[in-house]
């Protein structure tokens, strides 16, 4: 039996174990599901994702028999509708829409009104009895088809429309009379011929197959690829193509189109949320060409239709047990649902919806945890406009996506990306965004549009990205040519600073101070459920009491990494550190270290206090000493300047001595050079001073009634003898301090595993180490042979673009290479020392996929920056729940 590539609506399912989203795409599966639920859906059929995959694998060819399947389903559709595709007297019109297994709003293509030509339009006029509507549908088809299928710029047609509006002195498309629309159709066809050297196709069947090709082709447009990269979606899934009977929202003022959400996708509030336009087609709402009306107004304009829509949205939300994003069309006061899908939502909304649905007994606590993506928590921690700040509000639009954005104004997506790559913060200003702007939206701090509503492309995509967005700010007049926008008598030019308040819709002139966010009660509830579910502990990387306090507020259960070198860079300390480095002998060095001792002791007192009762892992000095000294190039300039200006000979001699010392310390590859425990072996007095500061601080605070749990970590151990030697010194100093202070402190000494040799010999090292902590940043560098500072600006972008690597290995843990070594070290270490405590303290400790790996290989905890602690807590809960599912 040959493979089936085409399914009529109702032949598939979206929900349950038999769900067919991977085959029919999300849109196709949901259309089938709605059909089976008895919801009014225009009939149609879905061409599967497998057909798209075949299409790419065979250079644009269809699988054998697929065209015949399409023809059979088209005949079935004609019979269902009582109309003929291409029939000049009673024409059937269809749309072709994309639909991947995961919603990618606006990223792929749609073509409406297929089947219209110079002959069938006469039949459409006769069948519908509405001449103006028919010509409006035809001009829309030509514009959309020429853009999506034939590769023309949509702006070419918009220019013709704008010229005609100016000529007639009108503002809206809906004001065009029938003769004007006829004229536009002829002008559009001529523009197509001029630009492409081809006539607009008059054969409906050819239109259909060209449209299917274009929808399959849109899977690999740059904007779709960018979206998948941003959201970690596979490039191999392909898209389905949905061929659906057209219903028309542009048949007059008793027709319309809209987009709605079953709850507010920005806040999560349980209220019907959406927008619509009368006498319009679907793309008018999403594209922001006209500013739509709030859905509540439909209750006044078409009360019966509104009541039916409310009944349907409640039914769909109960059925899917999640917020739904609906597209609907009203034709002559009859309602049709064109799509339902799981609604994109902000992190704030995701939290509220998940917790509320548990209260409403729609979902379980476990389901609620899995409903909120850990990476979304970045949004929750976004800063907001300081309410005490003095601000100059110059305009107000729609609060489309929450948060605050401050940056320099740019007017194109390309420019936004260019400036962001230089490290500049920008705000992207557009009349409306389109899918082609996705890269610039990702690069910008926030987005401001002059047109469009709360369901426009800008709003939906910004919410999905967690970007601040103010949409439909009609007060601003954007001038791309002059690179400026005008509000009243205020002119804002490219490069000027602008601030956006995504919570209120305010557009603010200049740079405004922002403050830390506040976390909702739903956040606390979900985090409590997550903590009850997870096995992995979550600690933080913190070098100051302020960071430690913030991390504790976010639920950190200790510190997994305190980097002591950061404490040496203080203004008052750096000269002493340099004095220690430049010392001619051990006695002089120890003299300098005595000056640093009380400072280090105070550092540790502050951190121990902030983490009272929780473990604190302190890494002894790690970087090479030359990092604390001036740069050679800068010093050479200073010496040359002094000589030219005949400066003090004594000062010149001091500078030259410093230069000689720097030259002596200079290394060809400092990352693999004289650093970490190698410093502890060659210059043991540095580690002794740090150990003394740790144990004196611990003893003092214990005497004051604090509970202190110090963990001393020796960095960069590659050979067990390095750990033996440095550990002996730490124990000796600890014993001396505790004897002097007449008390005992419970402490442990362990090591950072960040070299391949340490992983391979983990059994030997575990005999000396009381804990392991994987330093995955350096481990990734040494496993790959990459220098992180060099690759990220040079060849890593090419590696990602050409799929040499799936992800940046410094952001997402390389499980096949680095992960294999970690797993080996865990097994070897625990065989040698039963119950060995093992954690991870690289940047991967707050990355959700890496956290799942840490759960799987049996680590005890992950450690990450303070603001990623909530992400790690939720990711650890996800890992626990998903591993149980796998276990079943």
């Amino acid at each position: 039996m040959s493979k089936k590539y085409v399914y009529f609506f109702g032949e598939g399912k979206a929900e349950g174990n038999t769900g067919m989203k991977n085959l029919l795409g999300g849109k196709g599966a949901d259309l089938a599901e709605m059909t089976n639920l008895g919801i009014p859906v225009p009939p149609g059929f879905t061409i599967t994702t497998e057909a798209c995959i075949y299409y790419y694998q065979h250079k644009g060819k269809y699988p054998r028999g697929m065209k015949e399947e399409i023809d059979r389903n088209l005949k079935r559709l004609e019979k269902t509708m009582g109309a003929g595709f291409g029939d000049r007297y009673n024409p059937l019109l269809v749309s072709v829409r994309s639909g991947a297994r995961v919603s990618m709003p606006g990223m792929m293509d749609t073509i409406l009104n297929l089947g219209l030509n110079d002959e069938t339009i006469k039949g459409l006029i006769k069948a519908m009895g509405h001449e103006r509507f028919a010509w409006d549908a035809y001009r829309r088809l030509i514009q959309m088809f020429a853009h999506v299928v034939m590769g023309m710029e949509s702006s070419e047609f918009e220019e013709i429309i704008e010229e005609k509006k100016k000529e007639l002195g009108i503002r809206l498309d809906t004001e065009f009379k029938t003769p004007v629309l006829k004229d536009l159709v002829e002008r559009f066809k001529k523009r197509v011929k001029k630009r492409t050297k081809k006539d607009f196709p008059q054969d409906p069947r050819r239109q259909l197959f060209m449209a299917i090709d274009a929808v399959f082709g849109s899977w690999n447009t740059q904007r779709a690829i960018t979206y998948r990269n941003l959201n970690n979606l596979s490039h191999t899934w392909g898209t389905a193509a949905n061929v659906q009977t057209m219903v028309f929202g542009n048949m007059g003022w008793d027709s319309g189109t809209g987009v709605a959400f079953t709850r507010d996708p920005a806040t999560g509030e349980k209220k019907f949320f959406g927008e619509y336009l009368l006498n319009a087609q679907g793309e008018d709402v999403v594209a922001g060409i006209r500013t739509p009306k709030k859905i509540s107004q439909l209750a006044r304009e078409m009360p019966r239709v509104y009541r039916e829509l409310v009944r349907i949205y409640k039914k769909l939300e109960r059925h899917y047990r999640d917020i739904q994003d609906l597209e609907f069309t009203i034709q002559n006061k009859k309602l049709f649902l064109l799509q339902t899908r799981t609604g994109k939502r902000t992190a704030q909304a995701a939290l509220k919806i998940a917790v509320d649905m548990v209260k409403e007994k729609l979902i379980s606590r476990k389901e609620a945890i899995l409903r909120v993506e850990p990476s979304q928590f970045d949004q929750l921690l976004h800063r907001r406009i300081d309410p005490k700040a003095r601000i100059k509000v110059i305009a107000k639009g729609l609060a489309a996506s929450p948060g605050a954005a401050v940056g320099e104004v740019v007017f194109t997506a390309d420019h936004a990306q260019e400036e962001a790559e230089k490290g500049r913060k920008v705000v992207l200003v557009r009349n409306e965004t389109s899918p082609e702007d996705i890269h610039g939206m990702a690069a910008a701090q926030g987005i401001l549009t002059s047109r469009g509503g709360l369901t426009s492309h800008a709003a939906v995509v910004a919410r999905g990205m967690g970007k601040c967005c103010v949409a439909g700010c009609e007060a601003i007049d954007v001038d791309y040519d002059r690179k400026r926008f005008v509000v009243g008598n205020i002119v804002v030019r490219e490069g000027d600073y602008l601030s956006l308040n995504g919570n209120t819709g305010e557009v603010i002139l200049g740079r405004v101070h922002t403050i830390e966010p506040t976390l909702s009660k739903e956040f606390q509830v979900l985090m409590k459920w997550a903590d009850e579910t997870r096995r992995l502990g979550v600690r933080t990387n913190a070098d100051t009491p302020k960071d430690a306090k913030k991390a504790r507020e976010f639920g950190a259960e200790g510190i997994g990494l305190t980097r002591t070198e950061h404490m040496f860079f203080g203004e008052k300390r750096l000269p002493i550190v340099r004095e220690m480095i430049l010392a001619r002998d051990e006695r002089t060095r120890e003299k300098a270290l005595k000056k640093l001792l009380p400072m280090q002791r105070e550092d540790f007192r502050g951190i121990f206090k902030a983490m009272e009762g929780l473990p604190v892992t302190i890494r002894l000095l790690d970087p090479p000493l030359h990092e604390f000294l001036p740069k050679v190039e800068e010093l050479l300039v200073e010496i040359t300047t002094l000589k030219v200006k005949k400066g003090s000979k004594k000062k010149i001699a001091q500078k030259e001595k410093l230069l000689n010392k720097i030259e002596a310390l200079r290394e060809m590859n400092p990352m693999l050079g004289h650093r970490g425990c190698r410093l502890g072996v060659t210059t043991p007095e540095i580690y002794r001073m740090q150990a003394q500061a740790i144990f004196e601080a611990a003893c003092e605070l214990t005497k004051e009634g604090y509970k202190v749990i110090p963990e001393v970590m020796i960095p960069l151990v590659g050979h067990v003898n390095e750990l033996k030697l440095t550990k002996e010194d730490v124990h000796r100093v600890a014993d001396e301090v505790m004897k002097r202070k007449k008390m005992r402190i419970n402490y442990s000494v362990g090591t950072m595993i960040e070299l391949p040799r340490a992983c391979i010999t983990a059994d030997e090292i575990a005999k000396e180490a009381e804990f392991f902590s994987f330093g995955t940043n350096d481990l990734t560098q040494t496993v790959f042979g990459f220098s992180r500072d060099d690759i990220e600006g040079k060849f890593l972008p090419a590696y990602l673009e050409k799929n040499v690597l799936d992800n940046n290995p410094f952001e997402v843990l390389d499980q096949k290479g680095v992960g294999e070594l970690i797993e080996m070290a865990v097994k070897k270490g625990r065989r040698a020392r039963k119950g060995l405590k093992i954690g991870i303290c690289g940047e991967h400790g707050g990355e959700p996929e890496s956290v799942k790996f840490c759960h799987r290989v049996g680590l005890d905890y992950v450690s990450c920056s303070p603001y990623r602690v909530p992400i790690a807590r939720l990711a650890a809960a996800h890992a626990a729940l998903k591993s149980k599912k796998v276990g079943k």
Side-chain angles (χ1 to χ4, degrees), residues 142-205:
I142 297 167
Q143 181 174 354
M144 194 176 280
F145 193 94
H147 172 55
V148 172
V149 181
M150 302 176 81
M152 290 179 63
E153 290 296 326
S154 191
S155 58
E156 293 195 49
F157 301 99
E158 288 298 330
E159 284 168 12
I160 295 172
I161 290 170
E162 290 304 316
E163 281 173 21
K164 185 59 77 173
K165 284 181 187 173
K166 282 180 185 173
E167 180 188 317
L168 298 172
I170 61 175
R171 194 170 67 87
L172 300 174
D173 298 5
T174 50
E175 297 176 82
F176 286 140
K177 305 292 185 191
T178 302
V180 176
L181 291 167
K182 279 184 178 180
D183 178 56
L184 284 176
V185 165
E186 290 308 311
R187 291 179 68 179
F188 281 11
K189 286 194 289 187
K190 284 175 184 172
R191 180 61 67 93
V192 170
K193 176 77 171 179
K194 182 181 177 183
R195 180 68 63 216
T196 67
K197 311 299 183 211
K198 295 174 184 173
D199 289 316
F200 175 78
Q202 291 291 308
D203 178 3
R205 196 168 182 276

Side-chain angles (χ1 to χ4, degrees), residues 405-420 424-451 457-458 461-462 465 467-473 476 478 480 485 492 494-500 507:
V406 181
E408 297 175 52
V409 169
V410 295
F411 291 97
T412 69
D414 288 343
H415 192 196
Q417 186 176 46
E418 287 163 12
E419 292 302 298
R424 302 178 86 89
K425 293 184 176 179
V426 298
V427 171
L428 178 62
V429 179
R430 304 285 293 161
N431 279 324
E432 69 267 339
T433 61
S434 71
E436 282 77 14
D437 294 322
I438 184 77
H439 58 296
M441 296 174 76
Q445 300 297 304
I447 299 109
L448 169 65
T449 67
S450 64
R451 298 201 286 255
H457 176 268
V461 173
M465 288 181 173
K467 298 277 180 185
C468 168
C469 177
V470 175
C473 186
I476 71 170
V478 181
Y480 293 139
F485 72 82
V492 179
E494 189 166 82
D496 289 349
Y497 272 93
L498 194 70
S499 302
L500 303 178
V507 180

Side-chain angles (χ1 to χ4, degrees), residues 189-399:
K189 286 194 289 187
K190 284 175 184 172
R191 180 61 67 93
V192 170
K193 176 77 171 179
K194 182 181 177 183
R195 180 68 63 216
T196 67
K197 311 299 183 211
K198 295 174 184 173
D199 289 316
F200 175 78
Q202 291 291 308
D203 178 3
R205 196 168 182 276
R206 185 161 171 252
Q207 288 177 11
L208 176 62
F209 282 101
M210 287 175 75
I212 293 167
D213 285 352
V215 165
F216 282 170
S218 70
W219 173 254
N220 267 350
T221 57
Q222 191 53 54
R223 66 179 185 264
I225 291 168
T226 300
Y227 184 89
R228 291 197 295 272
N229 286 338
L230 288 170
N231 291 278
N232 293 319
L233 303 177
S234 170
H235 295 294
T236 63
W237 290 343
T239 180
N242 297 286
V243 179
Q244 187 172 23
T245 304
M246 282 297 306
V247 286
F248 302 98
N250 59 329
M251 285 191 70
W253 298 105
D254 64 350
S255 302
T257 186
V259 176
F261 291 80
T262 57
R263 303 190 187 213
D264 189 323
T267 66
E269 189 181 345
K270 190 180 180 181
K271 67 173 184 181
F272 194 30
F273 175 97
E275 297 170 323
Y276 71 100
L277 284 169
L278 294 181
N279 200 15
Q281 282 200 309
E283 76 272 16
D284 295 344
V285 177
V286 177
I289 292 165
R290 285 162 57 193
T291 300
K293 299 177 181 181
K294 288 186 178 179
I295 197 74
S296 56
Q297 288 180 250
L298 188 63
R300 292 193 295 274
E301 293 193 312
M302 294 187 190
R304 186 187 59 77
V305 170
Y306 181 77
R307 285 195 298 273
E308 187 181 4
L309 184 59
V310 168
R311 179 185 64 77
I312 288 170
Y313 98 69
K314 287 181 176 177
K315 182 176 184 176
L316 286 171
E317 187 178 87
R318 279 196 307 273
H319 178 75
Y320 285 101
R321 301 182 310 122
D322 203 352
I323 177 177
Q324 293 299 292
D325 171 359
L326 316 173
E327 288 182 23
F328 63 90
T329 287
I330 305 159
Q331 178 177 308
N332 303 134
K333 295 191 176 180
K334 182 172 171 56
L335 177 68
F336 295 92
L337 267 288
L338 305 183
Q339 173 172 288
T340 189
R341 61 187 174 193
T342 302
K344 298 284 181 188
R345 67 208 85 173
T346 64
Q348 178 187 342
L351 272 170
K352 181 163 177 54
I353 291 166
V355 172
D356 283 355
M357 284 189 168
V358 172
K359 290 177 187 172
E360 294 163 26
K361 296 186 166 45
L362 280 174
I363 60 174
S364 67
R365 287 183 178 186
K366 289 177 181 177
E367 286 175 300
I369 291 167
L370 292 171
R371 286 279 174 89
V372 183
E373 283 300 319
S375 56
Q376 278 188 295
F377 273 8
D378 267 343
Q379 295 177 33
L380 283 180
L381 308 174
H382 283 178
R383 299 175 72 82
R384 58 191 176 91
I385 299 290
D386 185 349
K388 295 177 185 174
R390 287 178 135 189
I391 59 174
K392 184 176 182 180
V393 178
I394 58 172
K396 192 166 183 182
L398 301 170

Side-chain angles (χ1 to χ4, degrees), residues 644-717:
V644 168
K645 292 183 176 180
K646 301 195 181 331
S648 159
K649 287 183 180 179
K650 185 180 177 183
K651 199 168 186 181
I652 291 169
Q654 287 173 339
K655 297 275 184 189
E656 285 180 334
K657 181 185 175 185
L658 180 58
L659 179 63
N660 291 335
K661 184 68 176 179
I662 295 170
E663 290 286 8
L665 289 171
R666 187 188 272 202
E667 296 173 298
M668 293 300 290
N669 191 342
M671 191 199 80
L672 300 176
H674 192 190
R675 55 169 284 220
C677 65
R678 299 157 195 173
L679 283 173
V681 171
T682 60
T683 321
E685 51 271 27
I686 297 175
Y687 278 13
R688 286 178 198 143
M689 179 277 290
Q690 291 192 297
Q692 185 178 340
I694 290 167
F695 292 109
E696 285 181 353
C699 287
E700 287 173 11
L701 286 172
T702 302
K703 197 171 183 180
E704 292 170 26
Y706 290 91
K707 186 179 179 185
V708 181
I709 309 170
E711 299 177 344
V712 181
M713 184 156 69
I714 313 293
L716 210 74
V717 166

Side-chain angles (χ1 to χ4, degrees), residues 9-235:
F9 291 173
E11 291 181 341
K13 282 180 68 68
E15 292 290 284
N17 296 329
T18 56
M20 298 172 71
K21 286 198 172 188
N22 291 357
L23 182 66
L24 301 180
K27 189 176 292 181
D30 287 326
L31 285 166
E33 189 88 356
M34 284 197 293
T35 301
N36 292 331
L37 286 169
I39 286 165
V41 172
F45 53 87
T46 300
I47 304 164
T48 66
T49 56
E50 288 180 348
C52 178
I53 294 164
Y54 184 100
Y55 179 88
Y56 276 104
Q57 289 172 343
H58 295 83
K59 298 180 180 176
K61 291 182 179 175
Y62 294 154
R64 181 179 294 178
M66 192 184 96
K67 280 193 175 182
E68 290 74 17
E69 275 193 81
I70 291 172
D71 287 336
R72 283 197 299 275
N73 279 274
L74 195 54
K75 278 190 171 58
R76 181 176 172 183
L77 188 58
E78 289 174 326
K79 189 176 179 183
T80 302
M81 297 306 298
F85 188 61
D87 189 307
R88 60 192 299 180
Y89 300 110
N90 186 22
L92 171 71
L93 303 190
V94 299
S95 62
V96 177
R97 301 169 186 260
S98 60
R101 66 170 73 173
V102 172
S103 174
M104 295 169 56
M107 293 303 113
M108 291 181 295
D109 288 329
T110 291
I111 304 99
L112 306 179
N113 305 329
L114 291 159
L116 269 177
N117 61 24
D118 294 347
E119 291 300 317
T120 56
I121 191 169
K122 297 169 190 173
L124 185 67
I125 293 167
K126 190 175 179 182
M128 296 291 190
H130 199 313
E131 189 177 9
R132 187 202 174 278
F133 140 74
W135 286 104
D136 185 43
Y138 197 10
R139 70 95 184 166
R140 287 170 183 270
L141 167 64
I142 297 167
Q143 181 174 354
M144 194 176 280
F145 193 94
H147 172 55
V148 172
V149 181
M150 302 176 81
M152 290 179 63
E153 290 296 326
S154 191
S155 58
E156 293 195 49
F157 301 99
E158 288 298 330
E159 284 168 12
I160 295 172
I161 290 170
E162 290 304 316
E163 281 173 21
K164 185 59 77 173
K165 284 181 187 173
K166 282 180 185 173
E167 180 188 317
L168 298 172
I170 61 175
R171 194 170 67 87
L172 300 174
D173 298 5
T174 50
E175 297 176 82
F176 286 140
K177 305 292 185 191
T178 302
V180 176
L181 291 167
K182 279 184 178 180
D183 178 56
L184 284 176
V185 165
E186 290 308 311
R187 291 179 68 179
F188 281 11
K189 286 194 289 187
K190 284 175 184 172
R191 180 61 67 93
V192 170
K193 176 77 171 179
K194 182 181 177 183
R195 180 68 63 216
T196 67
K197 311 299 183 211
K198 295 174 184 173
D199 289 316
F200 175 78
Q202 291 291 308
D203 178 3
R205 196 168 182 276
R206 185 161 171 252
Q207 288 177 11
L208 176 62
F209 282 101
M210 287 175 75
I212 293 167
D213 285 352
V215 165
F216 282 170
S218 70
W219 173 254
N220 267 350
T221 57
Q222 191 53 54
R223 66 179 185 264
I225 291 168
T226 300
Y227 184 89
R228 291 197 295 272
N229 286 338
L230 288 170
N231 291 278
N232 293 319
L233 303 177
S234 170
H235 295 294

Side-chain angles (χ1 to χ4, degrees), residues 335-607:
L335 177 68
F336 295 92
L337 267 288
L338 305 183
Q339 173 172 288
T340 189
R341 61 187 174 193
T342 302
K344 298 284 181 188
R345 67 208 85 173
T346 64
Q348 178 187 342
L351 272 170
K352 181 163 177 54
I353 291 166
V355 172
D356 283 355
M357 284 189 168
V358 172
K359 290 177 187 172
E360 294 163 26
K361 296 186 166 45
L362 280 174
I363 60 174
S364 67
R365 287 183 178 186
K366 289 177 181 177
E367 286 175 300
I369 291 167
L370 292 171
R371 286 279 174 89
V372 183
E373 283 300 319
S375 56
Q376 278 188 295
F377 273 8
D378 267 343
Q379 295 177 33
L380 283 180
L381 308 174
H382 283 178
R383 299 175 72 82
R384 58 191 176 91
I385 299 290
D386 185 349
K388 295 177 185 174
R390 287 178 135 189
I391 59 174
K392 184 176 182 180
V393 178
I394 58 172
K396 192 166 183 182
L398 301 170
S401 187
V406 181
E408 297 175 52
V409 169
V410 295
F411 291 97
T412 69
D414 288 343
H415 192 196
Q417 186 176 46
E418 287 163 12
E419 292 302 298
E421 284 171 356
K422 295 175 191 170
R424 302 178 86 89
K425 293 184 176 179
V426 298
V427 171
L428 178 62
V429 179
R430 304 285 293 161
N431 279 324
E432 69 267 339
T433 61
S434 71
E436 282 77 14
D437 294 322
I438 184 77
H439 58 296
M441 296 174 76
Q445 300 297 304
I447 299 109
L448 169 65
T449 67
S450 64
R451 298 201 286 255
L454 295 170
T455 55
S456 64
H457 176 268
V460 171
V461 173
R463 283 196 293 268
M465 288 181 173
K467 298 277 180 185
C468 168
C469 177
V470 175
C473 186
E474 295 181 345
I476 71 170
D477 183 8
V478 181
D479 186 338
Y480 293 139
D481 293 334
R482 298 169 77 176
K483 296 182 180 176
R484 69 179 199 176
F485 72 82
V486 179
V487 190
N489 60 358
I490 297 169
V491 179
V492 179
R493 294 182 170 80
E494 189 166 82
D496 289 349
Y497 272 93
L498 194 70
S499 302
L500 303 178
N501 188 336
N503 300 313
T504 63
E506 290 173 327
V507 180
I508 303 161
L509 196 62
R511 279 188 275 200
V512 176
H513 184 249
T514 58
I515 59 171
E516 299 289 343
T518 51
L519 297 171
S520 66
K521 65 178 185 294
E522 286 83 13
F523 172 84
Q524 306 298 346
V525 169
L526 194 85
M527 284 290 95
K528 181 175 179 289
W529 296 344
D531 290 342
E532 289 166 357
T533 305
R534 65 185 166 90
R535 178 193 63 75
L536 266 178
V538 178
R539 298 192 189 184
T540 189
N541 302 338
D543 309 327
T544 66
K546 182 183 175 186
D547 284 349
K549 185 172 179 288
K550 177 57 67 179
R552 194 161 189 168
E553 287 170 13
F554 285 145
E557 297 160 323
I559 290 180
L561 175 64
T562 292
R563 292 160 286 221
T564 53
E565 60 270 13
H566 288 186
M567 301 166 180
F568 284 3
F569 282 102
E571 192 179 340
K572 292 179 181 176
R573 301 177 187 204
L574 197 52
I576 304 171
V577 173
R578 287 177 178 172
E579 182 185 327
M580 179 265 293
I581 295 168
L582 297 171
R584 61 183 178 273
D585 53 37
E586 189 175 329
R587 188 181 61 81
T588 317
R589 188 176 298 112
E590 285 186 339
K591 188 179 174 184
L593 287 168
K594 275 184 183 175
K595 294 179 190 175
L596 284 173
L597 175 64
M599 298 175 182
Q600 280 269 272
R601 186 169 56 236
E602 282 306 304
D603 292 330
F604 299 138
R605 275 182 61 92
I607 287 171

